[in-house]
Structures are given as structure tokens and as C-alpha cells.
Amino acid sequence: ICSAIIATLGLGSARLMSESLKPGKDFTGVGVGAFILDEHGRVLLLKRSSSARTAPGAWARPGGAVDFGESCEAALEREIREETNLEIVEPQLLDVTSEPSGGSHWVSIGYTAELAPGCHAEDAKNMEPAKHDDIGFFDLEALPTPLADFTANAIPALRAMREKKKKK
């Protein structure tokens, strides 16, 4: 799915990459994010700093931009490691959204993922304190507020996925 979205958006264009154009601002950006579940079923969220470009001061699932030539799954693993110091396994596609707002436009590919073996919720660290004010795992029924739209809009899909797994 990710390669098809990137190809459709024309992000393979050498012109876009050779100029100082910014994804999401000068052309549609492609981003990835994940609801990372710990061994207790809690979900990891980051509180975005007040200077964040998108959803300042809101809680959001971790993630970021897909770099040119990078798969969505590789971008997801890299972003999670860079932002939280955590390793993930088994990313599963959850949702794809298009978020044009406030002079920016991102196509966001959302996943769920689990912590890698040997990796625990206590290992989570805010690795980018200039971008995030806080980090934490939360029960799905007691999420902090405000939630970023791109996170809040995916919560129903996350709940439905969890219910489906419970029934198996």
C-alpha cells in the first residue's frame, strides 16, 4: 500500500527531492505512525510540544515522515526508535487517512505494533524533548486529552481491532 501511495503522489520525482521542498507543505507528505501496545494492552502516546507544526500540545501516536526510497515499515521502525528508544515487531496496517489542514497535507498510514521481545514499556524514553513534552502508556479507556485528530480519528479502528482479537 505504501509504495502505491508514494508512486501515486509522485514522490519518486527527482525534481521534488533535489529542491528544498518540504513534504506536507510544498507537496503531499507521506507519514507513518503506530499504536504500540505493551504487555498490559496499554497504548503508547507522545505529547507534542507547543512548537510542533501539527497538533501542538496534543497527545499522538508516535511516527513521522517516510524518507525517499524507504519502505513504510522501515520508516515506522526508524521513527519509533528515534522518538521512543523502543523496538517494535509485527506492524499491522490499521488505517490510511488524508489530512489536509492549516496549510499542510499529509497522507498518514497508521499501524498497530507490539514491543519486540526483551523490550518493555519501562524502556520508553522521550528521545526528542524539543519535539515532545511527555511520553506514556495509557489504558485505551483512559486516554489523555487533547488527542491529535490523526490519533483520535483512528481510536475506533483500534478498538474494533482489539475486540476482533478478543473474539478469536
Side-chain angles (χ1 to χ4, degrees), residues 16-160:
L16 286 178
M17 303 325 282
S18 66
E19 297 175 13
S20 300
L21 301 178
K22 296 188 186 296
K25 180 134 181 83
D26 298 313
F27 60 94
T28 304
V30 176
V32 291
F35 287 116
I36 301 167
L37 304 172
D38 72 359
E39 59 273 10
H40 305 290
R42 298 176 303 167
V43 64
L44 177 68
L45 297 174
L46 297 167
K47 185 175 183 184
R48 300 170 68 83
S49 75
S50 60
S51 61
R53 287 181 299 177
T54 308
W59 288 87
R61 53 186 166 177
V66 177
D67 290 339
F68 180 72
E70 184 177 42
S71 74
C72 291
E73 292 76 13
L76 182 66
E77 291 172 7
R78 174 184 52 77
E79 286 288 346
I80 300 304
R81 190 177 323 103
E82 288 175 357
E83 291 182 350
T84 70
N85 194 47
L86 296 174
E87 298 291 334
I88 59 169
V89 293
E90 301 183 32
Q92 300 291 317
L93 182 65
L94 180 69
D95 66 329
V96 178
T97 60
S98 179
E99 301 283 340
S101 67
S104 70
H105 184 184
W106 286 89
V107 172
S108 301
I109 303 159
Y111 293 86
T112 61
E114 296 178 10
L115 294 171
C119 193
H120 305 282
E122 305 81 53
D123 299 326
K125 294 180 186 144
N126 181 359
M127 302 298 288
E128 296 180 334
K131 293 181 180 181
H132 306 111
D133 292 338
D134 204 355
I135 184 172
F137 279 89
F138 300 91
D139 185 280
L140 199 52
E141 303 310 318
L143 296 173
T145 59
L147 288 175
D149 287 346
F150 58 88
T151 297
N153 294 342
I155 296 291
L158 178 62
R159 285 189 172 119

